[in-house]
Amino acid sequence: EVKGKTEVIEFFSFACPGCYQIHRQIMAWARKLPADVNFRRVAISFAKPGWEPLARAFYALEATGDLHRVDTALFDAIHKERQPLFDQKSITAWMVAHGVDGTKFTSAWNSFGVSTRMAQNNRILTSYQVGSVPAVVVDGRYNVLGNSFDEMLVNASAVITKVKAERPAKKS
């Protein structure tokens, strides 16, 4: 949580077809958010086989600084190219083939920091009552819904406006 900013969290998994469908759209939407909105992504696993290694890969990529470069390509590899990237060995091989330093990636994968983030995910899912992905939570209080991905993002924008309007004005 960033003080003075409205937090927006996207809960997702690289293994989730709906998350893949909304990925480019939500990233474009997030780039247009005002400066007083903090957008972050939480990769989750729901304890599903194959999902856990992909969540761990997300945090390892964040740690190595490679996420922005291979994020969309990893989604494409899984959903468009149907590559079976559901274990550490296959994910690491894919990363190396896409210019990620294998030693740095493996070190990050096995790091205390990434393990901590994975443990935090399970707690945050429970506290925010996220039962499926993709999910967008605004200000830790509003799990935003919609009948389509477009509607979900329109609703998220409206909730952000509502939350900001409820905040007490800063005294100068």
Side-chain angles (χ1 to χ4, degrees), residues 10-16 19 41-48 50-56 58-59 118 121-122 124-125 130-133:
E10 176 204 9
F11 291 90
F12 81 102
S13 169
F14 283 116
C16 158
C19 299
R41 296 166 70 207
V42 174
I44 56 83
S45 69
F46 289 125
K48 290 184 181 183
W51 286 41
E52 190 276 337
L54 288 167
R56 188 170 280 277
F58 174 80
Y59 296 112
M118 292 297 292
N121 283 356
N122 297 330
I124 200 170
L125 276 176
V130 173
S132 64
V133 289

Side-chain angles (χ1 to χ4, degrees), residues 107-128:
S107 176
W109 177 288
N110 294 314
S111 71
F112 177 76
V114 167
S115 294
T116 300
R117 294 290 300 274
M118 292 297 292
Q120 287 170 342
N121 283 356
N122 297 330
R123 288 193 300 276
I124 200 170
L125 276 176
T126 305
S127 66
Y128 289 167

Side-chain angles (χ1 to χ4, degrees), residues 127-147:
S127 66
Y128 289 167
Q129 299 178 335
V130 173
S132 64
V133 289
V136 175
V137 174
V138 177
D139 204 39
R141 298 180 289 161
Y142 301 101
N143 197 332
V144 180
L145 303 173
N147 292 319

Side-chain angles (χ1 to χ4, degrees), residues 17 21 27 35 40 44 55 61 97 107 109 130 135 142 145 148-150:
Q21 286 181 308
M27 296 312 289
R40 71 183 177 110
I44 56 83
L61 287 167
S107 176
W109 177 288
V130 173
Y142 301 101
L145 303 173
S148 66
F149 296 137
D150 287 335

Side-chain angles (χ1 to χ4, degrees), residues 2-7 29-39 160 164 167 170:
V2 181
K3 192 165 176 59
K5 289 194 174 201
T6 301
E7 184 177 59
W29 175 81
R31 281 191 289 275
K32 295 178 192 154
L33 289 171
D36 62 350
V37 175
N38 180 51
F39 176 79
I160 291 167
K164 288 163 70 172
R167 288 236 162 83
K170 285 190 180 126

